[in-house]
Amino acid sequence: MNKLLVFAEKGFTVAVLLVYSGAILLLLLSGGAQENEFVEFDSSLIRIINFLIYIVTFLLLGLRWKKYALFSE
């Protein structure tokens, strides 16, 4: 595959791991609140980002479907 696409996949993987671990997004949405503080925030941005992650993931799997097919020769 194209080297740019491989590099983009690796960058996407790192970004997704940061989003799912809550490392950056939850920190920004909570305003930097401590663990013992109760903060309410709208989680719709998290849902939209997760939906976009699923779309990009399925697109990447579609590009490499032969590699992930169970019965490929």
Side-chain angles (χ1 to χ4, degrees), residues 7 14-15 19 33 38 48 56 63 66:
F7 180 74
V14 171
V19 167
F38 181 74
I48 292 170
V56 172
L63 288 174
K66 287 185 180 179

Side-chain angles (χ1 to χ4, degrees), residues 20-73:
Y20 279 129
S21 68
I24 296 174
L25 191 60
L26 290 177
L27 178 67
L28 292 175
L29 289 176
S30 68
Q34 301 288 329
E35 285 186 20
N36 56 358
E37 298 176 10
F38 181 74
V39 178
E40 289 187 28
F41 56 87
D42 187 20
S43 65
S44 62
L45 180 63
I46 296 173
R47 291 180 190 168
I48 292 170
I49 290 175
N50 286 341
F51 182 69
L52 292 174
I53 287 172
Y54 284 125
I55 290 173
V56 172
T57 302
F58 285 124
L59 287 175
L60 290 172
L61 284 173
L63 288 174
R64 295 187 173 202
W65 67 272
K66 287 185 180 179
K67 184 176 179 179
Y68 298 108
L70 293 176
F71 301 108
S72 64
E73 294 179 14

